[in-house]
Amino acid sequence: MKLHGQWVDQPAPPRLPEGKDLATPTVRTSNPSQGGKSLEAIHQFFDQPPLVHLAQELAICWVLDRLLEADSYPTALMQQLGQAHPQLRLSETVLHQAITFLDQQEAISSYAQRCPSRGRPRRMLHLREEHRSGALALMPPWRLWLEENERPAGFSHHAPSPGLHPAAHPAVGHRAGVLPAGCQ
C-alpha cells in the first residue's frame, strides 16, 4: 500500500490463538503472583465476581424469556436484566443483534404503542404464537445456564455471607433512587 508517497507493507490482521474462535467467550483474570495481590483480594474476587456480558445467543434467550411472559420494548429488556440478574449485562449492540435475528427468523413482530410520558410511540416486541413452542424449548438450557453462571452479589459458596452487598456497578441506564418513566 502507498502511504505519503512511499510503499509500506500492509500489517497482517490480528490472529486468534490456536484453538480459539470468536464465538467462545474468554475470561480475563489477573495473575495472582503479580505484586500487590493477596489471598484476601482473591477471596474478594469470589465474593464479588466480575460482571458477565451476554453474547448474542444468550441475549436471544433473554429476549425470548421476557417475551414469553409479555410484550416488551428494548430499553425495558435491558432494565429488567439489570434488576433480575445484577451480575449480567447486555450491550445495546448485542440486544439489537438478538432482536434483528429474531425478526429475520420471523419469531417476533413489532407494533407501536403510545405512551403518555413519551413524545413518540414505543416499539413493542411480540413473540409470534407459532414460535412459542420453540422459545419454550430454549428455556430449560437457558435457565440452567443462568443457574450455573450467576450468583447474587455477595453470595459465596465458601463462607456464609453476613448480608447482601450492593452490586459493584449499577444497572445500565439506572441511577439509584430514580424510577424509569411511567413507574411513579
Side-chain angles (χ1 to χ4, degrees):
M1 142 173 75
K2 200 169 190 180
L3 182 67
H4 300 293
Q6 295 182 354
W7 288 97
V8 180
D9 289 336
Q10 190 170 357
R15 295 176 50 107
L16 293 172
E18 192 66 36
K20 295 283 184 178
D21 60 47
L22 292 176
T24 306
T26 57
V27 177
R28 181 176 289 176
T29 59
S30 58
N31 185 350
S33 64
Q34 293 173 343
K37 292 288 179 191
S38 68
L39 292 178
E40 179 59 31
I42 297 168
H43 183 71
Q44 222 172 8
F45 171 86
F46 289 105
D47 283 342
Q48 293 181 341
L51 299 174
V52 175
H53 293 269
L54 299 184
Q56 184 178 352
E57 296 83 359
L58 298 172
I60 290 167
C61 290
W62 171 250
V63 171
L64 291 173
D65 190 358
R66 298 292 75 218
L67 294 181
L68 280 165
E69 296 295 321
D71 292 359
S72 190
Y73 56 98
T75 304
L77 293 170
M78 291 184 72
Q79 290 172 349
Q80 291 167 353
L81 181 69
Q83 292 166 355
H85 307 284
Q87 292 303 113
L88 301 179
R89 291 295 180 269
L90 178 58
S91 74
E92 288 182 24
T93 302
V94 173
L95 177 61
H96 177 73
Q97 291 170 346
I99 291 170
T100 299
F101 171 82
L102 290 168
D103 197 32
Q104 289 171 347
Q105 297 294 308
E106 297 180 355
I108 61 172
S109 60
S110 62
Y111 60 94
Q113 181 183 54
R114 280 299 244 175
C115 297
S117 62
R118 276 175 65 96
R120 61 184 174 154
R122 193 174 266 152
R123 177 184 177 211
M124 299 296 291
L125 305 173
H126 173 76
L127 178 63
R128 292 176 183 239
E129 198 58 40
E130 59 269 19
H131 289 276
R132 184 170 279 284
S133 62
L136 285 169
L138 284 172
M139 291 305 102
W142 159 244
R143 294 201 175 111
L144 179 63
W145 183 89
L146 279 175
E147 211 175 278
E148 291 175 350
N149 291 283
E150 183 195 35
R151 293 189 305 225
F155 177 78
S156 172
H157 289 289
H158 304 289
S161 174
L164 294 175
H165 301 283
H169 304 284
V172 174
H174 176 73
R175 294 184 312 190
V178 178
L179 293 172
C183 293
Q184 285 103 11

